[in-house]
Amino acid sequence: AAAAAAAASPRPLAAGVSSRRRQTPRPPVSRSRAPTRCVSTPERSAKDPRARVALDPSVVAVRETTTSGELRASAAARALSFYEYPPDRSEYSVRAHRNMRIDAEWDAIGEKIAGTDVAFKNCRVSCLVAALPLLEDGAAPEGFGIDDGVHPASVARDGDPPPGTIVLGTLDVNQGVTLPAEELAGKFPRDDDPVRPGTDTSQDGRGPGEEKKKKTQTGDTGDAGAGETGVRATRYRRAYLSNVCVLPQARRLGLGKRLMRRAMEVAEGWGVEEMYVHVVSDNHGAKSFYKDFGFVVESEETAAFAAGLSRPPRIILRKSVGVEGASAEEASP
């Protein structure tokens, strides 16, 4: 009971980052779509306890967040969406592992946003949420209470507006040359491609990690990564989506599309020219979702390559930012 109570209460973060050491999960757990973090949205039957309830999507706010509680609630959405457990796993074991993953995801989000994750030192990261306001008395709206299967950690008491919010969906926008831990990298823009007319470059070098670097030359910063010899540093021209998910209770309400639209707006404001996303090859629901949104397949891993990494093959899809329906080749002047 003490462990459950602790899991339900967000802990304060120092500068958005927890100082606890991350823990490694036990192997009997299946991450069905991880680490690409893209889940499809199967229909729920009326008898399914997670079946969608009536909800006016307009009351759900889709925005960026940096508050401790909403970051933890975002971590809960990821842990609940990306991990599956064998039927013979005890309830106590499932609960313990899930709480551990929530804390680990929470640590990771804070470190990426703060620019202290070494793997993301050349990335700028923003966490977006689809946040459902709590009722005035602090209670959850009908169908989204603890008894309805919503995890206590999904509730953020520091969410806006007071008295708090329930995070129904989330994703990360990662501006950089590559997405750390992913072998497939985007190819556009190329080093010698001219900057697209109308691109806002005023945000170059504004990320938390960039602010900690000493500028070494006009218009760029030190510690330049691969592919940064062109007319504009490539790490400002590309971005990757990750951790895209919506809680089962809130699927088929259009929240995924709203998160995507907001992500494209954030990327455009940063001066990103090409957006990428990784998807497991056999995740047909996710592939259809992104293609409907205007993404096109750029490259795909072979089965042999993926087998060498002991995971399913994946594909990388691309969409030009701020140019509806155009590929990188068509959008380039």
Side-chain angles (χ1 to χ4, degrees), residues 113-145:
I113 293 175
T116 57
D117 187 316
V118 175
F120 284 76
K121 66 179 181 179
N122 287 321
C123 293
R124 182 179 184 180
V125 181
S126 179
C127 177
L128 274 60
V129 295
L132 173 66
L134 295 174
L135 303 179
E136 291 185 0
D137 60 358
E142 182 181 358
F144 292 92

Side-chain angles (χ1 to χ4, degrees), residues 64-221:
E64 296 177 83
T65 189
T66 56
T67 68
S68 174
E70 287 194 332
L71 290 181
R72 190 168 195 272
S74 297
R78 300 169 193 200
L80 294 166
S81 298
F82 303 140
Y83 293 86
E84 296 178 350
Y85 300 89
D88 60 347
R89 191 90 178 253
S90 71
E91 181 180 351
Y92 173 82
S93 178
V94 170
R95 186 185 305 116
H97 180 271
R98 182 169 285 150
N99 288 338
M100 180 181 68
R101 291 311 313 163
I102 290 173
D103 284 341
E105 295 283 354
W106 185 25
D107 286 347
I109 300 171
E111 291 173 4
K112 292 173 186 176
I113 293 175
T116 57
D117 187 316
V118 175
F120 284 76
K121 66 179 181 179
N122 287 321
C123 293
R124 182 179 184 180
V125 181
S126 179
C127 177
L128 274 60
V129 295
L132 173 66
L134 295 174
L135 303 179
E136 291 185 0
D137 60 358
E142 182 181 358
F144 292 92
I146 304 303
D147 293 339
D148 301 304
V150 174
H151 195 279
S154 297
V155 180
R157 293 295 175 180
D158 61 354
D160 184 28
T165 57
I166 301 173
V167 171
L168 302 180
T170 180
L171 61 76
D172 291 341
V173 180
N174 308 268
Q175 183 184 33
V177 179
T178 63
L179 183 64
E182 287 291 345
E183 287 73 19
L184 282 176
K187 300 176 181 178
F188 296 95
R190 293 164 294 214
D191 294 349
D192 56 353
D193 285 343
V195 177
R196 187 178 306 147
T199 299
D200 183 0
T201 61
S202 64
Q203 289 293 307
D204 289 3
R206 297 291 184 88
E210 297 278 5
E211 294 171 358
K212 298 177 182 179
K213 300 174 185 176
K214 180 180 180 181
K215 290 195 174 185
T216 58
Q217 61 185 37
T218 303
D220 201 357
T221 59

Side-chain angles (χ1 to χ4, degrees), residues 281-292:
S281 296
D282 64 356
N283 190 347
H284 303 295
K287 287 194 295 185
S288 177
F289 173 77
Y290 292 117
K291 287 180 178 180
D292 288 346

Side-chain angles (χ1 to χ4, degrees), residues 37-55:
R37 308 300 188 84
C38 302
V39 294
S40 58
T41 55
E43 288 282 5
R44 302 287 181 189
S45 68
K47 296 181 180 180
D48 191 323
R50 297 181 297 173
R52 180 169 62 88
V53 298
L55 175 69

